[in-house]
């Protein structure tokens, strides 16, 4: 099934839609979201991307990422994908927006206006989708900062871009 993304301008105003893979090949700015979840001890819940992912396979990143579909709110899309990838329902709130453009290792582009969501998930029970996630781990802020600094090649570029911007907002 073809999946479509919402094309946007630099101010996140909708200007059209395009098939997802085509948008990544043609470097078209589109709407995206990144979900950061914390556990009961305020540890970050990270996912390792499945090895079959079309870009950034095997890298560690935030809990969930994705794109809203045309006529879908970004909040609803973030909740939908969190369930599709992790098998959980969670309350999240938007805390930040960021726009970036990055050429990936396989000739694709990530050119996104990204809505950043944060939430708490304390059950620690997941039903991971193996097509999306290889593994998950919970990491405290100090250990995560050190690991990103010492092993930057183990993390997605967007995680390394967003993480410093949100950690100050979290007050943990």
């Amino acid at each position: 099934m073809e999946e479509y993304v919402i094309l946007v301008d630099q101010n996140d105003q909708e200007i059209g839609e395009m098939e997802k893979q085509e948008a990544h090949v043609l470097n078209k700015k589109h709407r995206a979201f990144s979900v950061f979840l914390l556990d009961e001890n305020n540890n970050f819940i990270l996912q390792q991307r499945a090895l079959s992912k079309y870009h950034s396979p095997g890298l560690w990143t935030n809990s969930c990422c994705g794109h809203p579909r045309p006529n879908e709110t970004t909040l609803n899309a973030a909740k939908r994908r969190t369930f599709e990838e992790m098998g959980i329902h969670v309350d999240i709130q938007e805390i930040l927006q960021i726009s970036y453009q990055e050429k990936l290792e396989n000739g694709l582009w990530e050119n996104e206006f990204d809505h950043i969501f944060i939430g708490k998930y304390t059950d620690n029970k997941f039903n991971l989708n193996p097509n999306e996630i290889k593994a998950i781990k919970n990491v405290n802020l100090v250990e995560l900062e050190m690991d990103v600094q010492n092993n930057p090649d183990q993390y997605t570029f967007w995680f390394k871009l967003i993480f410093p911007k949100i950690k100050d907002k979290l007050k943990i």
Side-chain angles (χ1 to χ4, degrees):
M1 181 178 97
E2 285 189 330
E3 189 153 346
Y4 285 79
V5 295
I6 301 166
L7 300 179
V8 296
D9 65 16
Q10 228 9 72
N11 299 311
D12 196 37
Q13 298 301 307
E14 292 185 29
I15 57 173
E17 57 187 62
M18 185 177 278
E19 192 276 324
K20 182 174 85 168
Q21 188 75 9
E22 184 180 12
H24 286 95
V25 169
L26 297 178
N27 192 20
K28 298 292 185 179
K29 183 161 293 294
H30 54 280
R31 191 170 292 151
F33 58 83
S34 295
V35 177
F36 286 75
L37 296 178
L38 301 172
D39 68 14
E40 67 278 359
N41 297 314
N42 288 325
N43 294 315
F44 286 85
I45 301 171
L46 302 182
Q47 72 155 274
Q48 184 180 28
R49 291 171 60 84
L51 297 178
S52 60
K53 296 295 284 183
Y54 66 100
H55 71 77
S56 309
L59 296 182
W60 289 97
T61 197
N62 47 288
S63 304
C64 176
C65 304
H67 308 90
R69 296 172 176 153
N71 302 313
E72 181 181 37
T73 69
T74 307
L75 175 63
N76 286 345
K79 289 181 174 184
R80 171 182 54 81
R81 283 303 291 168
T82 302
F83 180 75
E84 290 172 355
E85 291 187 13
M86 304 179 86
I88 62 172
H89 295 284
V90 65
D91 288 325
I92 53 176
Q93 61 181 336
E94 188 169 341
I95 61 166
L96 180 68
Q97 297 173 355
I98 187 171
S99 182
Y100 50 76
Q101 178 178 308
E102 180 85 11
K103 187 166 182 136
L104 301 174
E105 69 279 355
N106 57 1
L108 298 178
W109 288 86
E110 284 284 49
N111 187 349
E112 299 182 332
F113 192 98
D114 199 1
H115 296 254
I116 315 304
F117 292 89
I118 190 82
K120 273 263 203 216
Y121 184 69
T122 58
D123 282 352
N124 207 28
K125 295 177 187 162
F126 301 95
N127 185 15
L128 302 180
N129 179 341
N131 296 319
E132 300 290 338
I133 300 174
K134 180 179 178 189
I136 59 169
K137 65 180 176 182
N138 299 24
V139 185
N140 74 44
L141 177 64
V142 173
E143 291 172 348
L144 184 53
E145 285 178 310
M146 290 185 65
D147 197 46
V148 170
Q149 184 177 9
N150 294 333
N151 301 295
D153 57 328
Q154 298 298 310
Y155 292 87
T156 62
F157 85 87
W158 65 87
F159 180 83
K160 292 181 286 191
L161 182 69
I162 299 167
F163 177 60
K165 297 179 185 313
I166 68 160
K167 67 179 182 158
D168 297 331
K169 291 183 173 285
L170 297 179
K171 300 174 181 70
I172 55 174

